[in-house]
Amino acid sequence: MTLLHSLFPRGRDDEEDNLLKGINSYRTSLNLTTLSENDKAKCLADEIADQFKDQPCTHTTGVNTVPGTEPQFSDYPKLLSKCKLNATTTRDGMIMPACVPNLVADLVLSNYTKSQYSNYLNDTKFSGVGIGSDNNWVVVVLTTSNPEGSFTPDSTSSANLVFQLGITHAVVLLMAFLLIL
């Protein structure tokens, strides 16, 4: 098995999948629903993990992750934009960064299930999850089912397009009506 591991080392996605399985097993043991993967939350988790990757493991490193507030992270708006998100759909989510040397699987899982983060994993309002990792950092982003925490894509541009198409159709119909008269 060790030889097989050295030939095919586990990738970052495998580690993230194992963490998700562990978190969902933990929630199941508490009779809570499992968390569904959320692609936009994963994108944000990946981006935040990438920002942390060169920082040393310390207890003071982190972001303000109080639900209902925007994280105190200098590039947060840019990271949201990269993932096609906006602050209104991420406000009630939870961003939980952790640093574990070599991302040892058991330690990573216990870092979430046996710490202050367990309160959020135990909360029934969270229904989705995105996990990202880079170097010694792993970031778990929890999402909700409500609009303020759903991590749905930024719909501003598509709403404008629908509005513009509606105006275009109205102008065409008005011109057609005037031509008929």
Side-chain angles (χ1 to χ4, degrees), residues 66-70 76 86-93 148-149 151:
V66 177
T69 64
E70 190 169 312
Y76 191 65
N86 66 52
T88 59
T89 64
T90 61
R91 192 164 286 129
D92 286 346
E148 294 82 20
F151 284 66

Side-chain angles (χ1 to χ4, degrees), residues 99-127:
C99 190
V100 177
N102 302 315
L103 293 179
V104 177
D106 292 341
L107 293 177
V108 172
L109 181 60
S110 65
N111 220 302
Y112 287 100
T113 60
K114 296 179 180 171
S115 71
Q116 76 276 11
Y117 290 148
S118 66
N119 292 333
Y120 301 107
L121 291 179
N122 299 349
D123 195 330
T124 58
K125 80 175 181 179
F126 294 111
S127 58

Side-chain angles (χ1 to χ4, degrees), residues 30-50:
L30 298 173
N31 294 319
L32 299 171
T33 59
T34 58
L35 300 172
S36 301
E37 290 184 79
N38 180 305
D39 290 337
K40 295 298 180 179
K42 179 175 180 15
C43 175
L44 186 60
D46 282 334
E47 292 296 328
I48 292 173
D50 187 53

Side-chain angles (χ1 to χ4, degrees), residues 64-78:
N64 175 7
T65 56
V66 177
T69 64
E70 190 169 312
Q72 302 302 306
F73 194 69
S74 61
D75 289 341
Y76 191 65
K78 185 163 69 168

